Every structure is written in structure tokens, then in C-alpha cells.
Amino acid sequence: MQRFVNNPDFIVDDMLKGYVKAHGDTIQLSERNDRVVKTIQAPIEGKVGIVTGGGSGHEPAFLGYVGEGLVDAAAIGEVFASPPAQSFLDAIVEADSGQGVACLFGNYAGDNMNVKMAVQLAEDEGIPVKYVTATDDIASSPPETREKRHGIAGGLFMWKAGGARAAMGGSLDEVIAAAQKAVDHTRSICVGLSSCTIPAAGSPNFTIEEGMMEFGIGHHGEPGIRVEPLKTADEIAAEMTGAILQDFGFSKSEELAVMLSGLGATPLMELYVVYDKVAEILTGQGHRIDRTLIGNFVTSLDMNGLSLTIVRLDEELKELLDYPGQCPAFK
Amino acid sequence: MEFTNQAGIAVVTAMIEAVCSNRDYLSRIDALVGDGDHGINMSKGFSMAGEELGKLDADMSEGLLTLSKVLVSKIGGSMGPLYGSFFRGMATASKDEPVINTTVMLNMLQKAYGRIAMLTNAQVGDKTLIDVLNPAVKAYEEAAAEGGNMEVCLSHMLDAAKRGLESTKEMAAKVGRGSRLGERAIGHQDAGATSCYIILEALAEASLRLVKAD
């Protein structure tokens, strides 16, 4: 394993030290908990607090979305492992100005348990907390059990919508409704071409044979829907777009936001190659692409792969996406 | 057959050593169905608790509580809250007991199981640590009800735990990360069930060493 690493067991701590030095003008570590990143302003008087959190290894998520008009505080876990309940609680406390806190996270088993414990602890401290879980990964559970689906890159739209509504002065219930609407309107799917390697484990988590691809792979390398011979970028783009469109089941032309996120080891060049075909298919079916995001938004360490996210927009979501937001990972 | 709560700290130490020495084994098993970090996170938490305990003159119950607190506040994942609740249950059931006998051990196991069951909906057959813990606690209960001493109860517990662990190999995962594999998880032993077995085995062996040394 060729890595820029000191002690792999402390890679998260070392990353955070660099992160706060790089972005110290807008964010800082919590004084309560050195695994909580918060904006310098948080808590903002009169505003509902926005909290997220999750395992490390998905950079720029989750810490990259801490910023003005987005997330007030994020709990940072070990690589691919949920932060502990105490970290979620400390993030909630840092974000709370007395208007309550919306916790917006990714619906993994560990996150669910730790957030639920933290919500109970926060209630003991008199802080009302409600939560929304992103469920955009269509490969992680069939439509009948949508609520079990995991949140992947599409969580960005949940943070943006909830964060904007909070910045506009929305109540806790209004913030939760906005975040939930973004979740309900968002679908994603991943394709993986190679494994990722957890630094402390030192060897790849799994293998994808040369010349093969894994359709629907998870954000931690969880096995996908099928393993099949590697296809051309156009064919992969068509399958991913088709899977999402089938899941949406649109009956008319729609206004859409489209995001392609690399998983950590895919050149931007290839994301643009895939986007070309995605856009051709969507517009060819009469849809209008209102906005496009291409880059590394939620990654999986050094996995070679990408996720496609499509959001069905309406006037409210467009207003929320247009609202100013500024964080190191996204404007 | 009994040992003092004071001497019982050796049980906590044994569980910590067992988890830490199985770090790579647990990660290897996890990599087959999950993401390969189970051993890393478990051994990190348990070794931090070991360092904490080195600074204290704790009895078993205080040791269990320390372990619980470290797991809940520092480890996260699914295992932090689950094992955090498990050890807190054991600590709660034993904290007012200067002597740990067959009945106190039964209460500890029942309380530990009850706390975990409050946190997860996983049932036997879902390919999780419940597949080890549920039959293990039941086997201890049954052996105790028939008047078995601690050695008999613990040995029945371990037999049932071992069978539970083996049974996870034939299951498709229904909760957690492995659930995504569906049928493809079959053939692989569950990582959480494995760490649970390792912990119960260390608990039983260390308890019996104390009982026999008494």
C-alpha cells in the first residue's frame, strides 16, 4: 500500500488537524469534542441548527459541507464507521441556538443507532432534535423498502435544502420538511471498477477482477446488484441513467439537477465522458437539466468508480438550491 | 462457585486482551461481507479502555462501565452502541454485588442482552451478534434453572454460542451492511457474531479461572 500516512490508526485525527489549518477562516474544531467540526459562527442566534455526521473516507463529505447556509456542525467518525453517540450529541449542542436542531444523515445502521442515542441525550438536555435520513441509493434496497435505502452523494441536496431553509429563518418542522422533500426527490446509483483500501487495514476490502465492473456498488464497497464485464462509458452511463429513470417512473418531462461524483480514484475527465451520455439521454427523453454538478462530492477512499445522482426539481427545491451557501466543498 | 467483584477485573482484562489479539482475524472476516474494519475499531476501543483501566484500581463492575463508556463515547459504528449497552448492562447488574456467583452472572447476561435488544431490531436468523448472544444467554438460563453450577452454566453457554456462530455461515444477512449481499453472504461467518463469541469465550474462561483459583 503506497500511502501518505503517519500512523494509520490516527489518520482521521491527522486529517482533521490539516483540515482546520486549511479552512480555519470559516470552520473550527469544537472545544467540547475534537471529532466535531463546526462553523465559527455556530450556533447562529434564532436559526435552526443543521447537523450531519458519518464515517471518514468520504471526503469532502461530511466535514466539507460545514459552512454558511449549509451544515452548522458535523460529527466525524473513524474511516467508514459512524461517529459515536457522544460526537453526534456534541455536534447537536454546538449547533443549537434554542430553535432546535435538524440532524441530516445517511441511514446506515451505525449512524441510526448513534443518532438515536444522541437524540435521547439531547432531549435530556432540553434540545429538540428531529432527523431526516438520505435514502438516495436505489441499489441498496428495492422500491418497496425505500426507507431502508442508504444515503450516498445525493445527501448533498438534503443538506443544501435543509440548510437553506434554516438560513431563511424556517422553523424546525419547515427545515425537516425541506430536507425530506429533497430526499424524496433524489435518486443515485454507483458503479465501481476497483476496490478501496482502508488505511488501517492495509489491503483492499474486496476485489473487482480486471475487465469487470460492479453495478450498484455501495459507498463502502458493499456488493452491488451485479458484477459484469466492463462496458464502454456510454453503455455504463445508459445503464445508470436507465436504472434511475425506471426507479422514478416519470410520466412527463421534468426539470432535473444532475450530479456525477467520483468515488476517489476516477479522473474528472472520465466523469465528463459519462456526463455527455447521461445528458444526451435525459434531454433526448424531453427532460430539462436545470443544473449540473461534476466532481468529487462524496467519495469512497480510493475507489475507482462514480455515482450518478438525479434530482427532480420543483419551484421550492430550485429556490432552496439557489439560496447562497458557502462551504469548502461546494458553493 | 463464585469469585469476588474485586478479583473479577481479570474478566474485563481477559475480554480486552481477547478482542485486541483478534484484531486482524475480525477484520479479515468482516472484509468478506462488510468493509473490513471490525477488528480495527473493536481493538481500538478495547485497548483505549485497557489504558483507562490501567490508571484505575477498578473492580469488575467499574471495569465494565469504563469499557462501556469508552465504546459509546469513542468508537461509534454499530458496535460502539451495541457493545456499549452490553457492558453497561453487565455493570448495572453486578455493581451492588461484592460476590459474583452463578445467579449474579445470570443477571449480568440477561441485563446485557436486554440492553442490546432495546437498541436493535435484529432477530435470531438475521446474521448478527444476536445469533450468538440469544442462544448463549438462553442456554445459561436453562442450565441455571436446572441447578447447574457456574462451570456447567458457562460451558452450556459457550456450546450454544459456538453453534450460533456456526449458524451465521448459512444465513443471508437481513440487517446492516451485509444485508445488501442477499444470498451472496451465505458461506461467510458474521463478524459481529464472531466478536461476540470471542468476548463470551474470554468471559467464561476468565471466570472459571477465578472460580477454580478460589
Side-chain angles (χ1 to χ4, degrees):
Chain A
M1 185 180 65
Q2 301 267 76
R3 280 288 172 81
F4 296 102
V5 59
N6 300 313
N7 181 342
D9 279 352
F10 295 100
I11 194 162
V12 174
D13 309 81
D14 291 350
M15 166 186 74
L16 285 173
K17 283 190 277 180
Y19 193 81
V20 295
K21 279 180 188 152
H23 303 293
D25 52 336
T26 58
I27 59 99
Q28 63 186 48
L29 285 185
S30 161
E31 284 175 14
R32 311 170 63 89
N33 187 324
D34 61 9
R35 288 298 185 90
V36 170
V37 170
K38 63 179 279 284
T39 64
I40 283 172
Q41 297 88 349
I44 296 170
E45 200 55 43
K47 187 182 91 70
V48 169
I50 305 286
V51 163
T52 192
S56 293
H58 301 301
E59 289 65 39
F62 296 80
L63 74 181
Y65 298 102
V66 177
E68 205 179 323
L70 283 119
V71 171
D72 294 292
I76 311 301
E78 283 299 315
V79 175
F80 287 178
S82 166
Q86 185 66 44
S87 296
F88 275 112
L89 174 65
D90 288 332
I92 288 165
V93 171
E94 290 288 8
D96 178 53
S97 73
Q99 303 302 310
V101 172
C103 189
L104 313 177
F105 65 102
N107 207 28
Y108 290 83
D111 296 320
N112 272 307
M113 275 185 240
N114 286 293
V115 168
K116 280 177 192 164
M117 285 179 95
V119 168
Q120 287 174 6
L121 297 168
E123 278 166 1
D124 290 346
E125 295 194 18
I127 305 173
V129 183
K130 294 189 176 182
Y131 60 85
V132 172
T133 54
T135 53
D136 54 309
D137 182 6
I138 63 169
S140 55
S141 207
E144 310 85 79
T145 48
R146 248 202 93 195
E147 73 287 351
K148 286 188 181 173
R149 287 178 174 178
H150 292 151
I152 50 174
L156 168 57
F157 294 95
M158 167 179 76
W159 299 318
K160 183 75 187 83
R165 181 58 77 210
M168 290 172 182
S171 67
L172 179 55
D173 283 339
E174 287 165 347
V175 169
I176 291 292
Q180 187 63 53
K181 185 179 210 178
V183 167
D184 292 341
H185 285 229
T186 302
R187 306 278 191 281
S188 302
I189 194 157
C190 291
V191 165
L193 307 185
S194 77
S195 177
C196 49
T197 301
I198 293 180
S203 56
N205 287 9
F206 58 98
T207 47
I208 297 175
E209 299 297 329
E210 188 70 25
M212 303 299 281
M213 59 183 254
E214 186 141 353
F215 189 80
I217 197 167
H219 253 201
H220 310 95
E222 298 97 322
I225 295 170
R226 59 180 182 267
V227 179
E228 58 189 333
L230 180 58
K231 297 176 176 163
T232 65
D234 280 357
E235 287 167 328
I236 294 170
E239 278 192 40
M240 296 177 89
T241 311
I244 291 178
L245 286 175
Q246 188 186 15
D247 202 80
F248 268 121
F250 292 142
S251 56
K252 60 180 177 63
S253 50
E254 299 279 351
E255 276 195 288
L256 306 172
V258 178
M259 174 167 72
L260 271 170
S261 174
L263 295 183
T266 302
L268 282 174
M269 173 188 257
E270 294 171 30
L271 300 186
Y272 285 112
V273 170
V274 170
Y275 181 71
D276 177 52
K277 188 67 180 179
V278 171
E280 183 191 308
I281 293 169
L282 291 175
T283 52
Q285 295 197 10
H287 302 300
R288 196 175 85 77
I289 299 173
D290 186 75
R291 64 201 68 199
T292 304
L293 295 168
I294 310 273
N296 290 324
F297 295 101
V298 178
T299 59
S300 307
L301 292 168
D302 56 345
M303 199 193 296
N304 184 9
L306 52 83
S307 63
L308 169 65
T309 299
I310 298 178
V311 188
R312 178 164 70 87
L313 297 173
D314 64 5
E315 289 311 312
E316 183 190 8
L317 283 176
K318 282 203 287 188
E319 183 194 5
L320 294 168
L321 295 188
D322 280 339
Y323 193 83
Q326 186 103 357
C327 61
F330 174 72
K331 279 174 195 156
Chain B
M1 283 202 150
E2 58 189 39
F3 55 89
T4 66
N5 199 328
Q6 202 62 43
I9 189 67
V11 175
V12 182
T13 313
M15 292 190 290
I16 292 171
E17 281 169 3
V19 167
C20 293
S21 65
N22 280 288
R23 173 188 152 120
D24 292 341
Y25 172 61
L26 287 172
S27 288
R28 223 167 34 242
I29 290 176
D30 188 32
L32 297 173
V33 176
D35 54 25
D37 64 355
H38 187 56
I40 298 162
N41 289 335
M42 289 288 283
S43 73
K44 190 165 177 183
F46 278 65
S47 65
M48 283 163 89
E51 283 168 29
E52 285 286 308
L53 285 175
K55 297 179 218 154
L56 305 171
D57 181 26
D59 64 14
M60 181 189 71
S61 299
E62 290 158 356
L64 291 165
L65 192 60
T66 301
L67 193 45
S68 169
K69 282 181 175 167
V70 170
L71 294 175
V72 169
S73 64
K74 302 282 184 196
I75 291 312
S78 305
M79 293 302 142
L82 287 173
Y83 282 127
S85 309
F86 177 83
F87 291 119
R88 183 174 277 268
M90 288 195 143
T92 306
S94 61
K95 68 178 164 51
D96 297 326
E97 306 284 353
V99 170
I100 310 304
N101 56 28
T102 311
T103 311
V104 175
M105 183 65 79
L106 172 65
N107 294 340
M108 287 167 62
L109 290 166
Q110 287 175 327
K111 191 95 181 166
Y113 181 69
R115 288 290 174 92
I116 282 201
M118 279 197 286
L119 212 54
T120 170
N121 298 323
Q123 304 292 319
V124 170
D126 288 351
K127 200 177 179 96
T128 70
L129 59 82
I130 295 293
D131 288 302
V132 167
L133 196 55
N134 175 296
V137 174
K138 270 195 190 149
Y140 190 107
E141 274 170 5
E142 283 164 17
E146 287 167 15
N149 63 23
M150 199 191 287
E151 183 169 11
V152 170
C153 293
L154 286 173
S155 110
H156 280 233
M157 176 188 84
L158 270 193
D159 287 346
K162 184 81 189 168
R163 284 195 299 276
L165 178 60
E166 286 294 320
S167 74
T168 66
K169 284 185 188 169
E170 300 315 313
M171 293 173 188
K174 296 211 181 65
V175 296
R177 232 165 246 169
S179 63
R180 186 157 181 153
L181 271 168
E183 301 291 309
R184 281 181 288 164
I186 292 174
H188 301 299
Q189 180 174 310
D190 181 65
T194 308
S195 60
C196 188
Y197 179 79
I198 288 168
I199 288 167
L200 290 178
E201 185 182 47
L203 169 84
E205 286 176 355
S207 298
L208 289 177
R209 275 199 298 276
L210 288 173
V211 164
K212 286 175 179 165
D214 198 31

